[in-house]
Amino acid sequence: MSQPKPQEPMTGNAPPAPADAMKDIVALCKRRGFVFPASEIYGGINGFWDFGPLGVELKNNLRDLWWKHMVTTPPVGPDGAPVQIVGIDSAIIQNPKAWVASGHVGGFSDPMVDCRETKFRYRQDHLIVLKADAHNWIAFHQEASTDDIDRKLKKLGLPVRKTEYERVPLTQVPVSEYSNITGPDAKTKGTLTEPKQFNLMFDSHAGPIKDDANKVYLRPETAQGIFLNFKNVLDSTRVRVPFGIAQIGKAFRNEVTPRNFIFRSREFEQMEMEWFCHGDDAKKWRDFWFSERTKFWQSIGLKSDNLRVRDHDKDELSHYAKEGLGTADIEYRFPFTAPDFGELEGIAHRCDFDLTQHQEHSKQKLEYMDPDDNTKRYIPHVIEPAAGLTRGVLALICEAYTPDPNRPSGVFLDFHPSVAPKKAAILPLMSKGEHPEIATKLYMKVREHYNIDLDVKQNIGKRYARQDEIGTPFCFTIDDQTSADHTVTVRHRNTMKQDRIHLDSVIEYMRTNMNTATGRS
Ligand code: ATP
């Protein structure tokens, strides 16, 4: 990713969460069971995270909504008919020849620069250089916030000028000029080395013998498993070009500097769809998927100014995209990238690169034969919407995070109800007697329809505060009046307003109010 060009953000009204909100967000995620550092009792492990009881619900909700949007109820195409997309779940470890063909063994290496002073290593394309004057240049992570930059400038005794200094990607600075640069964590100039290649794939060995013949790789993207099954899917289903194959699953990259919580980790999840079409139609489908994918993120709550779309610069294009229509990113303004944006999903025109490569390397025919004219054979082009599931979870949390000094929790999560881990909480006012009995009955009924919580103990204020912090849209409270007239209070997360409704209408009430339950939708 290089420095984003200014572009109109999408309409909406949520201000970006402030950069220092990130500390609170990470603390809330831990406190309430969204995300924990992996192996925490052993001091953690850099770049790996565990999803807790609420984090896994949130992640599953995003995963299921993506699958529904892509596979179960895919959108209607430009011709008015629903498009065809099927799903697969391929192995994480494939024949290593697949990664040679895809270009990952030879090319999935990003140039790295080392810092001689701090011994830190950075991806060259992740650093931005700020030119304070002719000979004082400072390198920053592209995700560094304006405050981070100002702090560093102050430390180096340079005038703090917010965003006024010229910024250029390190990839555009000739190595002969590195002597002017102070590295991101360094105190002195000229400590960055010239870039060297570093392969991001994790490797291992299949079987008991650890030699090169048994070397295997953990997949760095889910896409290749789809290309490897292109022929199987064509032969076993009734799909015809144009069609898509979708997959959600783990991917592994030995990122040099995992950072910013779950934004850039070494083990993460992707949601990718390869759309196979005739090369002549690639532009039509690229525009189509671009608009559909943007609508998807908006439909689940990323509706604010924090979401935008950006075309890649020519120098950012991947090997497969150079000949094609290029790549565009859907980006989110994370608290740590603000005022800039970070990639959430890339939509690439991969041309016929992958299938051609696998055909050449495997010696298997991967052409598509036109069913109406068997003299017409061709390798389809591919449009690929590739999104991060775990990065999407982070965007949803950052978007939902809403400080509110008027409530005891001081903050609430304004999740769109479709992604909220718990859609409602049933809270008996008293922990003994009739209240919990009625509450349990209601819970047993509603849980058949929605993922809900039953929380019996603690004072009611604290229980509301907990539900606010985990983003539950509704709380239903059972009190003495419930026993008398079979009504419950319903408290809305965003407005804290309370209504009184009949016990029997709770499910219907949730159904009706689900989509108006968030202030941002
Ligand atoms: P970046 O420029 O941020 O490294 P990329 O362009 O290499 O990302 P892709 O290969 O296009 O990413 O992967 C598709 C999606 O997978 C990205 O848009 C992002 O949401 C997610 N993703 C990629 N790398 C990581 C990572 N290390 N941790 C979490 N999510 C990731």
Side-chain angles (χ1 to χ4, degrees):
M1 273 191 336
S2 68
Q3 196 59 8
K5 284 186 290 216
Q7 194 173 334
E8 277 302 292
M10 291 171 185
T11 52
N13 52 12
D20 57 9
M22 213 47 220
K23 245 199 323 218
D24 294 342
I25 289 173
V26 175
L28 187 151
C29 283
K30 166 104 197 293
R31 185 168 71 247
R32 292 301 183 193
F34 283 94
V35 181
F36 308 124
S39 317
E40 195 181 9
I41 58 170
Y42 290 103
I45 169 166
N46 197 8
F48 297 87
W49 299 91
D50 294 336
F51 284 80
L54 291 175
V56 71
E57 298 291 352
L58 176 62
K59 180 154 70 72
N60 287 352
N61 289 343
L62 176 54
R63 180 199 66 188
D64 294 348
L65 284 162
W66 187 92
W67 195 259
K68 181 169 187 307
H69 186 83
M70 294 305 235
V71 181
T72 341
T73 58
V76 171
D79 61 356
V83 301
Q84 306 172 80
I85 304 180
V86 293
I88 62 159
D89 183 9
S90 70
I92 284 174
I93 293 179
Q94 300 282 351
N95 188 314
K97 288 180 191 159
W99 302 113
V100 175
S102 68
H104 285 89
V105 168
F108 193 58
S109 37
D110 285 294
M112 299 294 158
V113 290
D114 289 324
C115 175
R116 292 188 206 92
E117 180 190 317
T118 60
K119 309 290 176 238
F120 287 147
R121 175 171 278 186
Y122 309 94
R123 249 172 77 172
Q124 186 198 20
D125 67 330
H126 283 175
L127 295 188
I128 301 290
V129 174
L130 210 97
K131 297 187 170 175
D133 58 41
H135 298 292
N136 272 311
W137 302 353
I138 305 103
F140 291 97
H141 279 279
Q142 61 186 7
E143 291 140 17
S145 66
T146 321
D147 288 346
D148 290 342
I149 296 177
D150 285 353
R151 261 195 297 276
K152 175 83 188 260
L153 289 170
K154 234 182 186 168
K155 245 191 208 162
L156 294 173
L158 294 164
V160 170
R161 300 260 299 279
K162 295 280 173 194
T163 49
E164 286 169 36
Y165 292 127
E166 186 195 348
R167 300 154 75 103
V168 283
L170 181 63
T171 46
Q172 287 174 16
V173 178
V175 175
S176 56
E177 295 181 15
Y178 276 23
S179 53
N180 291 320
I181 303 176
T182 307
D185 302 282
K187 293 195 187 85
T188 46
K189 280 199 293 191
T191 58
L192 293 183
T193 63
E194 68 181 80
K196 285 180 269 204
Q197 298 298 115
F198 172 84
N199 196 297
L200 292 187
M201 275 200 296
F202 279 100
D203 57 36
S204 184
H205 294 88
I209 300 166
K210 291 198 171 176
D211 63 12
D212 276 355
N214 296 319
K215 192 165 172 184
V216 291
Y217 300 96
L218 302 194
R219 69 180 176 201
E221 61 176 30
T222 54
Q224 295 306 320
I226 295 178
F227 297 121
L228 299 179
N229 282 291
F230 172 72
K231 196 168 170 338
N232 283 337
V233 170
L234 265 186
D235 293 349
S236 60
T237 70
R238 294 175 59 78
V239 291
R240 295 289 170 258
V241 168
F243 73 96
I245 306 180
Q247 164 152 246
I248 299 177
K250 294 257 179 179
F252 303 82
R253 294 183 189 176
N254 196 2
E255 296 280 2
V256 185
T257 4
R259 57 193 276 120
N260 293 327
F261 197 29
I262 53 173
F263 178 84
R264 186 173 302 291
S265 44
R266 289 180 168 145
E267 174 177 341
F268 55 100
E269 281 176 83
Q270 291 186 309
M271 310 184 285
E272 298 196 291
M273 194 273 290
E274 308 303 318
W275 179 255
F276 300 95
C277 62
H278 193 284
D280 294 347
D281 297 332
K283 166 127 184 35
K284 173 178 86 179
W285 287 113
R286 178 186 183 267
D287 293 348
F288 173 77
W289 282 114
F290 205 62
S291 135
E292 282 303 317
R293 296 303 309 143
T294 308
K295 277 194 257 166
F296 170 77
W297 289 110
Q298 290 172 329
S299 75
I300 58 168
L302 298 191
K303 272 198 152 181
S304 65
D305 291 357
N306 300 333
L307 194 70
R308 73 167 189 188
V309 298
R310 182 182 72 91
D311 271 320
H312 271 206
D313 297 332
K314 265 277 172 251
D315 62 353
E316 287 178 90
L317 295 183
S318 326
H319 51 290
Y320 54 76
K322 288 253 163 19
E323 306 303 318
L325 302 163
T327 296
D329 287 341
I330 299 178
E331 297 184 329
Y332 184 76
R333 181 161 46 191
F334 293 91
F336 46 82
T337 58
D340 286 331
F341 291 69
E343 177 179 333
L344 181 58
E345 168 161 357
I347 297 163
H349 177 206
R350 297 181 74 114
C351 303
D352 57 359
F353 174 83
D354 304 87
L355 288 178
T356 306
Q357 285 292 107
H358 288 304
Q359 175 166 281
E360 266 171 45
H361 285 247
S362 67
K363 312 276 182 270
Q364 302 285 319
K365 279 246 164 293
L366 296 178
E367 286 172 337
Y368 177 74
M369 192 180 72
D370 189 324
D372 301 323
D373 177 356
N374 63 14
T375 61
K376 274 199 202 150
R377 287 163 188 267
Y378 61 95
I379 301 235
H381 273 220
V382 167
I383 304 296
E384 175 196 72
L389 171 55
T390 37
R391 201 176 278 185
V393 165
L394 181 59
L396 291 175
I397 294 174
C398 292
E399 180 79 2
Y401 180 82
T402 314
D404 179 359
N406 294 324
R407 57 180 86 206
S409 53
V411 68
F412 69 104
L413 292 187
D414 180 15
F415 283 130
H416 189 276
S418 61
V419 296
K422 298 286 174 185
K423 312 298 183 208
I426 313 278
L427 311 174
L429 200 57
M430 311 303 280
S431 61
K432 292 208 177 86
E434 229 184 351
H435 295 180
E437 273 167 37
I438 301 173
T440 307
K441 252 199 202 148
L442 181 62
Y443 165 73
M444 295 303 282
K445 202 165 92 181
V446 180
R447 73 175 198 175
E448 294 300 319
H449 303 265
Y450 293 110
N451 188 344
I452 59 165
D453 229 7
L454 172 65
D455 194 359
V456 177
K457 291 203 174 124
Q458 231 179 17
N459 82 50
I460 192 74
K462 283 199 174 140
R463 280 183 283 165
Y464 282 149
R466 176 173 181 277
Q467 297 301 334
D468 281 348
E469 274 203 319
I470 68 174
T472 308
F474 307 106
C475 288
F476 295 100
T477 308
I478 317 295
D479 53 23
D480 285 342
Q481 201 183 325
T482 315
S483 329
D485 65 4
H486 304 284
T487 61
V488 289
T489 56
V490 46
R491 175 186 180 272
H492 289 247
R493 177 194 62 201
N494 288 20
T495 58
M496 293 190 283
K497 280 207 182 109
Q498 305 204 0
D499 289 334
R500 194 117 201 141
I501 62 165
H502 197 274
L503 261 179
D504 291 341
S505 55
V506 165
I507 294 167
E508 194 43 46
Y509 185 91
M510 286 178 68
R511 196 165 286 140
T512 314
N513 289 281
M514 228 10 143
N515 285 323
T516 51
T518 167
R520 286 187 191 156
S521 63

